[in-house]
Amino acid sequence: MNKIKIRNVLLEDLECVTQIEATCFPAAEAAPRNVFKERISVFPEGFFVAELNNEIIGFINGGVTNETHIEDEFFITMDLHIPNGENIVIFGLDVHPKYQRKGYAKELMKHFIEAAKKDGRKKILLTCKEHLIKYYEQFGYVNEGVSESTHGGTKWYDMYLELK
Ligand SMILES: CC(C)(COP(=O)(O)OP(=O)(O)OC[C@H]1O[C@@H](n2cnc3c(N)ncnc32)[C@H](O)[C@@H]1OP(=O)(O)O)[C@@H](O)C(=O)NCCC(=O)NCCS
């Protein structure tokens, strides 16, 4: 596996992350450019990109809340972001299809978990499709079953990772 560099996002990464998202998710689920622009502007501390040979190949991004489940509205607006909140939500974990199955998402997730611990968060929350439940369980995430989320018209599962 080639070594990747993980760093905080910059506004100049906007086009690149928007394109990777559109490649990784169906149109109804993919966050559009304006949503990424807001996430990058409001909370770059919770948005990490992975670079391979100076090219962005994936990213993970989130927002902070005092809720214990993700509200669908949070996927489209950072108005719900509470900088000093207890829990951090993962909006998305993406690795460009060309670079998948090399452990890069795992590295991004580990980085995100360490940052959330350092920031004193209690839990990390995410929603995922059924086929990825096992994948997230390897990091210690607990599956809470089918989510109330109807984001993109898909069936999601609520998962959380207890940090303290
Ligand atoms: C889900 C996603 C982020 C995973 O990215 P990835 O970089 O391929 O993830 P990893 O490499 O860490 O792990 C993926 C699989 O590759 C395997 N793998 C890791 N390194 C490997 C290697 N060197 N050789 C072969 N397989 C490997 C892992 O064991 C894992 O297998 P599993 O699913 O059977 O557990 C990526 O597929 C993606 O962007 N999908 C579309 C968007 C999406 O659904 N995101 C999640 C939203 S909830």
Side-chain angles (χ1 to χ4, degrees):
M1 188 175 85
N2 293 310
K3 187 108 183 75
I4 53 165
K5 177 183 158 195
I6 297 178
R7 62 163 173 84
N8 284 95
V9 74
L10 299 168
L11 199 50
E12 68 201 47
D13 302 325
L14 178 60
E15 303 306 331
C16 203
V17 296
T18 304
Q19 270 178 26
I20 292 177
E21 176 92 350
T23 311
C24 284
F25 286 97
E29 295 167 27
R33 188 179 183 278
N34 63 311
V35 168
F36 278 120
K37 191 172 180 189
E38 194 193 8
R39 290 180 189 170
I40 294 171
S41 310
V42 172
F43 191 43
E45 299 87 353
F47 197 141
F48 303 101
V49 298
E51 281 182 339
L52 187 64
N53 304 323
N54 296 320
E55 180 197 354
I56 295 177
I57 55 103
F59 61 91
I60 188 166
N61 68 119
V64 181
T65 180
N66 282 323
E67 302 292 325
T68 50
H69 293 94
I70 306 175
E71 296 151 284
D72 275 354
E73 208 190 334
F74 213 172
F75 287 110
I76 51 172
T77 173
M78 287 299 272
D79 287 352
L80 301 184
H81 174 67
I82 302 168
N84 297 321
E86 287 189 342
N87 303 322
I88 187 158
V89 163
I90 295 178
F91 298 131
L93 171 61
D94 299 35
V95 169
H96 189 286
K98 236 167 77 184
Y99 299 99
Q100 288 175 5
R101 301 193 70 83
K102 295 178 192 307
Y104 296 145
K106 191 175 187 173
E107 285 194 51
L108 278 162
M109 178 58 81
K110 284 184 166 171
H111 192 91
F112 193 92
I113 292 170
E114 283 316 305
K117 280 184 186 165
K118 262 192 221 142
D119 291 341
R121 310 294 178 200
K122 280 192 177 160
K123 284 181 178 177
I124 303 178
L125 314 175
L126 63 80
T127 54
C128 73
K129 292 179 187 161
E130 192 163 11
H131 71 277
L132 283 171
I133 293 171
K134 277 262 157 310
Y135 182 75
Y136 291 117
E137 280 175 346
Q138 72 177 299
F139 302 98
Y141 282 88
V142 176
N143 174 21
E144 292 188 285
V146 178
S147 172
E148 283 180 11
S149 173
T150 56
H151 179 63
T154 302
K155 185 173 169 188
W156 299 94
Y157 287 77
D158 284 316
M159 300 195 77
Y160 71 90
L161 178 67
E162 194 87 51
L163 299 177
K164 56 181 179 186

